[in-house]
Amino acid sequence: MRWIDTLEAAAAEKLPEAVHRYYRQGAAGGVSVSEAVAAWSAYRFRPRVLNDVSTVELGTTVLGTPVDVPVLVAPSTLHRMADPDGEVAMATGVGAANSLIGLSSNAGTTFADLGATGVPWWLQIYVVRNREITERMLDAAVEAGARAVVLTVDTPVVGRKEDTGETVWDLVQPSQFLANLPEGDWTDADLAKSDDLSPDVIGRLAERTGLPVVVKGVLRGDDAKRCADAGAAGVIVSNHGGRQLDGSIPTAQALPEVAEALAGTSTEVYVDGGIRRGEHILTALALGARAVFVGRPALWALTVDGSAGVTRLLTDLGTELDHCLRLVGCPRPADLTPDLVIRT
């Protein structure tokens, strides 16, 4: 059995049940989260032959940052419940694989401590109703060395979770959450997600920070084009890991339309959701993604073996991708094209 396939069960043995459930659950009836992996596995390959694949190069750049493998770690929260060192441990593992980490604005680690690792990172941000909170968080992230802003746009409200019994919020300690919340007497209303955003927020964030803005939560080509027209440097095709609107289409199905809408532009395309194999990464890259993000597998790996587990996860996926590239007849990710895959 592949090591990655053992991770969730091994993590479940180490985590409180409520924490394990929080990491793995989707919204409402769990339709979207249950479909994610199978949607990638529904593609089939049309490999090229008689091509020289004696040397394969996996490296690429993401908004100008070099990475050894086009596999990045998605922003997620409550890392300190997986490992006492939380996001620092995750970043250390990512750095050893020469990749990049997305840091949640809800993180339990300060921007300064994350920045001190020297690992390249992008800040994931929610724009909240009290804009001062968002602005001050952005300023702190810039000071600590964030290389991009990941604007999450699929959360005008938080997706409904159908929990029973003890939940993760009964267990969370203050040191595990919102370490970067600016000092202030904030109310729940201040921290509520903004439900009045429009594309012009992209330009405002770019102007405030001087950083490229990547829009996360895009599932439609027309929305992707609106983001690009508003100045987005990248989009992440994402349904929030199935944690927002249940029944949203799998990212494996949404990616081709988004990539086609952005063809010929400078806006980079990324994708997350259900990616578990080198074959899945191969499919995503062939369909137009520059790199993929992994979320839950990184949390499982962090839980099981700390930073070393995260490094192994990224390295193992890279090894699988190398194997797949040789078999599909392409020595570099840039050589992949959509005609190499079909959906069954």
Side-chain angles (χ1 to χ4, degrees), residues 253-338:
Q253 295 178 15
L255 174 59
E257 179 184 317
V258 171
E260 182 179 1
L262 295 180
T265 74
S266 62
T267 304
E268 297 184 0
V269 179
Y270 305 92
V271 66
D272 65 20
I275 292 168
R276 300 291 185 271
R277 292 182 166 273
E279 291 83 357
H280 297 166
I281 303 167
L282 179 72
T283 300
L285 300 182
L287 291 176
R290 191 171 186 89
V292 304
F293 283 89
V294 292
R296 290 180 177 93
L299 286 171
W300 306 140
L302 182 67
T303 302
V304 171
D305 198 21
S307 60
V310 176
T311 302
R312 180 176 177 181
L313 171 71
L314 298 177
T315 302
D316 283 1
L317 288 172
T319 299
E320 290 187 4
L321 177 60
D322 180 294
H323 179 78
C324 291
L325 285 168
R326 294 175 193 273
L327 289 176
V328 85
C330 294
R332 294 172 296 276
D335 298 325
L336 295 167
T337 51

Side-chain angles (χ1 to χ4, degrees), residues 75 122 150 214-219 234-238 268-272 293:
W122 295 352
V150 178
V214 180
V215 181
K216 178 177 181 289
V218 177
L219 293 173
V235 299
I236 303 176
V237 179
S238 175
E268 297 184 0
V269 179
Y270 305 92
V271 66
D272 65 20
F293 283 89

Side-chain angles (χ1 to χ4, degrees), residues 22-278:
Y22 175 79
Y23 284 166
R24 76 182 304 273
Q25 74 185 149
V31 172
S32 291
V33 72
S34 69
E35 292 177 342
V37 177
W40 289 109
S41 296
Y43 283 93
R44 297 293 179 266
F45 300 110
R46 302 173 64 241
R48 300 189 180 108
V49 297
L50 298 178
N51 286 335
D52 183 355
V53 290
S54 57
T55 301
V56 167
E57 300 173 5
L58 297 181
T60 188
T61 60
V62 291
L63 296 182
T65 297
V67 293
D68 282 357
V69 179
V71 185
L72 319 176
V73 169
S76 58
T77 192
L78 299 183
H79 286 200
R80 288 189 181 275
M81 303 193 92
D83 182 286
D85 291 328
E87 290 82 2
V88 167
M90 184 74 86
T92 300
V94 169
N98 198 27
S99 185
L100 178 144
I101 181 174
L103 183 73
S104 169
S105 56
N106 293 329
T109 296
T110 65
F111 298 149
D113 285 346
L114 196 286
T117 67
V119 177
W121 61 286
W122 295 352
L123 170 67
Q124 175 273 331
I125 196 78
Y126 297 105
V127 176
V128 297
R129 291 183 184 173
N130 188 325
R131 297 294 200 269
E132 181 186 351
I133 295 172
T134 301
E135 291 168 355
R136 289 172 59 183
M137 291 182 78
L138 289 167
D139 293 346
V142 170
E143 184 176 356
R147 300 195 184 189
V149 176
V150 178
L151 170 66
T152 297
V153 294
D154 58 1
T155 54
V157 295
V158 176
R160 188 179 79 256
K161 310 301 187 297
E162 297 179 352
D163 277 318
T164 57
E166 185 177 57
T167 75
V168 70
W169 304 112
D170 298 316
L171 304 177
V172 171
Q173 301 299 309
S175 61
Q176 297 172 325
F177 188 61
L178 285 176
N180 297 288
L181 183 67
E183 291 186 6
D185 188 17
W186 312 117
T187 66
D188 289 344
D190 288 324
L191 294 169
K193 309 293 191 294
S194 292
D195 56 6
D196 60 350
L197 298 182
S198 61
D200 61 3
V201 70
I202 296 168
R204 292 201 301 271
L205 294 181
E207 182 178 3
R208 177 86 187 193
T209 62
L211 297 176
V213 176
V214 180
V215 181
K216 178 177 181 289
V218 177
L219 293 173
R220 298 172 54 99
D222 52 3
D223 277 344
K225 189 64 166 59
R226 291 169 69 216
C227 292
D229 290 345
V235 299
I236 303 176
V237 179
S238 175
N239 65 11
H240 215 108
R243 297 173 70 88
Q244 281 300 105
L245 177 61
D246 196 27
S248 294
I249 65 170
T251 55
Q253 295 178 15
L255 174 59
E257 179 184 317
V258 171
E260 182 179 1
L262 295 180
T265 74
S266 62
T267 304
E268 297 184 0
V269 179
Y270 305 92
V271 66
D272 65 20
I275 292 168
R276 300 291 185 271
R277 292 182 166 273

